[in-house]
Amino acid sequence: MVSHLVLRYLVAIVSTTAAHYSSAFKADMSSCPSDIPLSCTNSSQIPDTCCFEYPGGVLLQTQFWDYDYPTGPDDMFTLHGLWPDNCDGTYNQFCDSSLQISNAEEVLTSFGEEQLLERMHEVWKDYQGDDNNLWVHEFNKHGTCLSTIKPSCYQNFETNREVVDYFRKSVELFEGLPTYRWLEAAGITPSDSHTYSKQQIDEALKSRFGKEVYFKCDRNHALNEVWYFHHLRGSIPHGNYVPIDALISSNCPAFGIKFPLKKAPSTSTNTATGTETSATSTATPTGNGGYLKLENQAGCLISNGKWFASGTCATYKLSKASFGGYQLTSSKGVCGIDSDGYFACGRGVTAAQFDYDSSSGYVTYGGQSGWSADRVPSRNVQVPIMPGSGRNVNFSLIYETR
Ligand SMILES: *[C@@H]1O[C@H](CO)[C@@H](O)[C@H](O)[C@H]1NC(C)=O
Ligand SMILES: *[C@@H]1O[C@H](CO)[C@@H](O)[C@H](O)[C@H]1NC(C)=O
C-alpha cells in the first residue's frame, strides 16, 4: 500500500512536469487516451496508434561526466541521449535509414529552432568538440527507432519534424534530471583527493529520482556516466515519463569511486596529446585484425559473415566507432544486420555498431548476450548467425586478434 502511494505520488509529479512541457510542442498529433497502458506493462496487444512506444518501451535519459576530455560546464553532467530499450533490456539501433539525417544543426535551423540549438550547444556536448556529430549519431542510432514519432504519426508532416521533437524532448528530460546538483546536495562533489562509496552515490540519486539509477565507472574507477530509466505513457513528445528502476546494476566498485574534476585542458594548444586521451588510446585492438570464432564450436566466420566449419577464417577489422560502439569490417565490406536479422558483411550492408569487451573478447550486438544459428554447419555449408538466442544453437562470438 505504501509503495503504491509513493508510486502514485511520483506519477503525479512526472505528469505535472510533462503537462508543463507539452505546451511547448507544436506537433498536431491527436491526443492519446489517458488510459493507455504504460509502455512495457500491457497485458494484451495495443494497436499502433502512435500513443504506445513499442518495442522500445524503456526510455533512458543518459548523461556523461566527461572529465577526461573536459567538456561542458564544470558543474554539469552533459546530455548523452534519449534511448529506447526493449522491455527486456536489449535494444534496436539504426532502425530506419530513410529517416537518417546528416546535419542536425541544419534541421533545427530550418525549423526556426535557434533557441533549442543554442541550449543544445550548452548541454549536449561532444568530447571531441563536434556537437553536431554527436546529435546526428544519437538521432540516427536511437531516434529512428521510436514508434510514436514516426512521420505517419503527424498530421501535415514536414520532413524532419520528428527530429526536432526528439532533440527537444531529450533536452527537456535532461533538464529535469540535474545529476550534479543532486550529488552536490548529498556532499558528493568532484575532487582529486576524495573518493565515494557506491552506496553514497546510489542513495543520493535514488532519493531524488525515486528509483534505482544506473551509474557507470570507467577503467580508473571514476564516475563517467549516469542513466535514468523510464516507462512512458503516451507519445515521446507529449507522454508522461515514469521513473523505473534501472535494468542493470552499476559496474562501479563498492568503495573508492572517483569523481574527478573537469580540468581545464593544459595551456598547450594541443589538447589531444598526453596520457588522458582514453577515447583514442584505449585502442582499438585492430592492428592486424583478427578472427571471429564461436566459443565451444568448430569453425569461424568467413568474409560474408556466415559460419563455416571447414575453411579458413576471414580476417576482420574491429575499429572503435564514435560514442562507444565498434564497427566490424571484412574484405567484403562493412558488417551489419541484414533485413532478416542475420549478421552480414559486404556491399549494400549498413554498418552496425557492435559491443566488444576487450577482457573477454566477446562481441555482442544490441544488448543481446550472445548469438545463435539454426544449426551447426556440416561440411561445405555456410550457416548464417543472428544476435540473441532465438535459434537452436547458442554461442558466444569471440574476437581473437591475429
Ligand atoms: C504489448 O503490446 C505490443 C504492441 O501491440 C505487443 O506486441 C505485445 O505482445 C504486447 N504485450 C503483451 C504481453 O501482450
Ligand atoms: C539458448 O539460450 C536461451 C536463453 O539462454 C535458452 O532459453 C534456450 O533454450 C537455448 N537454446 C538451446 C538450444 O540451448
Side-chain angles (χ1 to χ4, degrees):
M1 195 57 197
V2 168
S3 65
H4 186 65
L5 284 174
V6 169
L7 183 66
R8 285 178 55 134
Y9 172 66
L10 279 169
V11 171
I13 293 176
V14 171
S15 316
T16 314
T17 325
H20 165 71
Y21 289 153
S22 60
S23 59
F25 288 98
K26 290 188 220 99
D28 51 359
M29 291 168 207
S30 55
S31 61
C32 295
S34 58
D35 60 351
I36 193 113
L38 265 181
S39 56
C40 291
T41 70
N42 56 309
S43 51
S44 59
Q45 289 269 127
I46 306 294
D48 183 10
T49 54
C50 299
C51 287
F52 183 73
E53 193 52 56
Y54 189 82
V58 176
L59 282 310
L60 281 69
Q61 200 289 300
T62 58
Q63 305 182 3
F64 287 124
W65 181 254
D66 274 331
Y67 68 92
D68 221 2
Y69 267 111
T71 178
D74 291 349
D75 59 352
M76 186 194 279
F77 281 67
T78 54
L79 211 174
H80 185 173
L82 170 58
W83 304 345
D85 267 15
N86 301 327
C87 305
D88 65 358
T90 62
Y91 62 93
N92 301 327
Q93 54 173 318
F94 299 106
C95 296
D96 188 342
S97 55
S98 74
L99 298 178
Q100 289 197 9
I101 56 168
S102 55
N103 190 327
E105 291 192 352
E106 264 177 34
V107 170
L108 289 162
T109 308
S110 76
F111 278 87
E113 294 286 351
E114 277 78 15
Q115 230 177 320
L116 176 57
L117 180 58
E118 199 179 310
R119 186 62 183 149
M120 285 166 64
H121 271 304
E122 288 162 10
V123 304
W124 202 341
K125 305 299 293 175
D126 174 51
Y127 74 102
Q128 290 176 313
D130 188 352
D131 299 342
N132 185 54
N133 186 40
L134 171 59
W135 307 337
V136 166
H137 169 83
E138 291 301 310
F139 179 78
N140 290 347
K141 182 171 179 185
H142 304 289
T144 60
C145 297
L146 293 165
S147 66
T148 59
I149 52 169
K150 291 184 311 262
S152 59
C153 293
Y154 293 82
Q155 286 165 19
N156 311 320
F157 178 71
E158 299 158 274
T159 305
N160 295 331
R161 169 84 248 185
E162 85 288 12
V163 178
V164 177
D165 280 349
Y166 175 77
F167 289 145
R168 182 192 298 286
K169 195 68 217 185
S170 302
V171 170
E172 286 181 350
L173 277 177
F174 167 81
E175 294 194 324
L177 299 166
T179 306
Y180 187 94
R181 297 287 161 238
W182 289 350
L183 293 175
E184 184 183 42
I188 301 168
T189 53
S191 165
D192 280 341
S193 50
H194 268 77
T195 63
Y196 302 95
S197 74
K198 193 174 188 170
Q199 194 183 353
Q200 264 178 301
I201 297 172
D202 186 62
E203 281 171 4
L205 297 177
K206 187 178 179 178
S207 69
R208 298 303 187 115
F209 186 59
K211 293 285 172 180
E212 289 292 342
V213 177
Y214 171 77
F215 49 97
K216 186 170 168 183
C217 286
D218 63 13
R219 294 172 306 153
N220 307 318
H221 294 173
L223 185 61
N224 76 336
E225 278 209 49
V226 175
W227 299 359
Y228 297 92
F229 290 66
H230 308 80
H231 283 155
L232 174 61
R233 189 187 309 283
S235 67
I236 286 289
H238 302 287
N240 297 339
Y241 289 75
V242 178
I244 60 166
D245 281 335
L247 297 186
I248 45 174
S249 44
S250 177
N251 68 341
C252 296
F255 298 98
I257 299 174
K258 295 175 193 149
F259 185 13
L261 293 154
K262 285 193 192 179
K263 289 237 178 64
S266 63
T267 48
S268 141
T269 49
N270 186 357
T271 57
T273 54
T275 54
E276 298 198 328
T277 58
S278 70
T280 42
S281 65
T282 17
T284 315
T286 48
N288 298 318
Y291 303 122
L292 284 173
K293 295 196 165 167
L294 292 71
E295 196 171 43
N296 301 324
Q297 293 284 356
C300 52
L301 302 191
I302 54 175
S303 57
N304 61 6
K306 296 212 167 88
W307 179 13
F308 198 52
S310 45
T312 316
C313 300
T315 300
Y316 281 85
K317 207 175 118 211
L318 180 72
S319 48
K320 203 159 183 150
S322 311
F323 320 116
Y326 287 82
Q327 254 178 32
L328 283 165
T329 317
S330 77
S331 61
K332 288 272 193 292
V334 297
C335 304
I337 304 297
D338 70 17
S339 53
D340 296 322
Y342 291 109
F343 181 74
C345 309
R347 255 193 279 270
V349 174
T350 308
Q353 288 197 355
F354 299 88
D355 293 305
Y356 169 66
D357 175 34
S358 57
S359 55
S360 63
Y362 290 143
V363 172
T364 54
Y365 176 80
Q368 307 269 6
S369 56
W371 297 77
S372 60
D374 287 327
R375 59 185 187 281
V376 175
S378 51
R379 211 176 141 69
N380 294 330
V381 175
Q382 304 177 8
V383 169
I385 68 164
M386 140 178 316
S389 56
R391 304 281 146 172
N392 296 328
V393 187
N394 290 341
F395 49 85
S396 296
L397 200 58
I398 298 182
Y399 180 78
E400 193 181 289
T401 46
R402 297 212 300 168

